[in-house]
Amino acid sequence: MTIRGVLSFFIVLTLIRAAFMGRYENVFVCVLALILFCVPMALEKRLSIDIPPVMEGIIYCFIFAAEILGEINSFYTIIPYWDTMLHTLNGFLVAAVGFSLVDLFNRSERFTFRLSPLFLAIVAFCFSMTVGVLWEFFEFGSDQLLGTDMQKDFIVQTVNSVSLNPSGLNTVVHEPITSLVVNGEDWMEFPGGYLDVGLIDTMKDLIVNCVGALIFSFIGYFYVKKRGKGRFAASLIPVVLPTPEDGDGPPEGEADEK
């Protein structure tokens, strides 16, 4: 609650500042961040689960780092590897969410089947990668339709392509870029080479997402394998709150006597 309260306070201050400066896109980002802050609490009530404080705090910090620091304060461009760090953490968190969803069903008395620890880890990994791919679709669509630059550019100084082979053979030609003039400006001075528009950024994001997903899938596997012994994993995985429907309430005889 402390982390949520402090970060919400800074988001509100940022929202007010953006409103006074007429930056309504930033106002929208602030409102979106506040809405996302409500999602963990809504899920707890809706699904009757308890999200561990560590996991909840990480989620709030991730939202703040991505929306407020990254988008509004330009940390994506000012601080190197800020985007890489967040995509790695995103892969980790989404794998935790996917693992938790399946694990909640796996532990519920309403279901008769039980899934192996390896299967749970694979589902968590695939869930995280699917969400990562869908996010890259969103970035590409936004760049193409709205003219944004969510798929950040990378400077390329060498082209590796079979299309540059004059013989037409399927042999890669490595062509260094020594001169590049665009609209009468020498791009070797600034920005320093050819701009790769999105491909490298997309693949880098998916790779680090994969790394984060693998890390949590590995942790989740051993958490289920040795149920109750992994303190770190337990601090990230929600638990089902007891309800009378699950048989946790008092027996009918005792209830009648009372």
Side-chain angles (χ1 to χ4, degrees), residues 239-257:
V239 295
V240 180
L241 296 176
T243 61
E245 296 178 358
D246 295 328
D248 295 321
E252 293 183 359
E254 295 182 11
D256 293 337
E257 290 177 3

Side-chain angles (χ1 to χ4, degrees), residues 54-117:
V54 173
M55 179 64 167
E56 200 166 349
I58 293 175
I59 293 174
Y60 294 139
C61 291
F62 175 81
I63 295 172
F64 187 83
E67 300 296 334
I68 306 304
L69 298 180
E71 292 291 344
I72 296 179
N73 293 310
S74 302
F75 275 31
Y76 286 128
T77 54
I78 296 176
I79 299 180
Y81 306 113
W82 184 263
D83 182 61
T84 301
M85 176 194 69
L86 290 182
H87 272 280
T88 306
L89 182 58
N90 178 72
F92 184 88
L93 288 176
V94 176
V97 172
F99 183 91
S100 301
L101 291 175
V102 181
D103 190 47
L104 290 176
F105 290 117
N106 205 36
R107 286 184 285 167
S108 175
E109 298 297 332
R110 302 173 185 176
F111 296 88
T112 57
F113 62 88
R114 289 293 179 268
L115 305 178
S116 68

Side-chain angles (χ1 to χ4, degrees), residues 29-70:
V29 172
C30 292
V31 173
L32 176 62
L34 292 174
I35 294 174
L36 293 175
F37 268 32
C38 299
V39 172
M41 295 181 292
L43 289 177
E44 285 183 321
K45 294 180 179 180
R46 180 69 176 175
L47 301 178
S48 297
I49 61 175
D50 178 40
I51 301 177
V54 173
M55 179 64 167
E56 200 166 349
I58 293 175
I59 293 174
Y60 294 139
C61 291
F62 175 81
I63 295 172
F64 187 83
E67 300 296 334
I68 306 304
L69 298 180

Side-chain angles (χ1 to χ4, degrees), residues 92-107 116-125 127-128 216-225 227 233 236-238:
F92 184 88
L93 288 176
V94 176
V97 172
F99 183 91
S100 301
L101 291 175
V102 181
D103 190 47
L104 290 176
F105 290 117
N106 205 36
R107 286 184 285 167
S116 68
L118 179 60
F119 187 83
L120 285 172
I122 293 175
V123 170
F125 173 80
F127 181 80
S128 178
F216 187 87
S217 298
F218 182 80
I219 295 172
Y221 171 81
F222 286 101
Y223 172 78
V224 177
K225 194 77 173 177
R227 176 71 71 181
L236 300 172
I237 298 176

Side-chain angles (χ1 to χ4, degrees), residues 89-163:
L89 182 58
N90 178 72
F92 184 88
L93 288 176
V94 176
V97 172
F99 183 91
S100 301
L101 291 175
V102 181
D103 190 47
L104 290 176
F105 290 117
N106 205 36
R107 286 184 285 167
S108 175
E109 298 297 332
R110 302 173 185 176
F111 296 88
T112 57
F113 62 88
R114 289 293 179 268
L115 305 178
S116 68
L118 179 60
F119 187 83
L120 285 172
I122 293 175
V123 170
F125 173 80
C126 293
F127 181 80
S128 178
M129 292 305 300
T130 300
V131 173
V133 170
L134 292 176
W135 177 255
E136 294 303 320
F137 287 170
F138 171 75
E139 287 189 346
F140 175 78
S142 179
D143 290 351
Q144 295 298 311
L145 299 176
L146 303 179
T148 61
D149 187 23
M150 299 186 71
Q151 294 178 301
K152 297 298 185 291
D153 306 326
F154 273 77
I155 304 299
V156 178
Q157 297 179 335
T158 302
V159 176
N160 307 310
S161 175
V162 297
S163 299

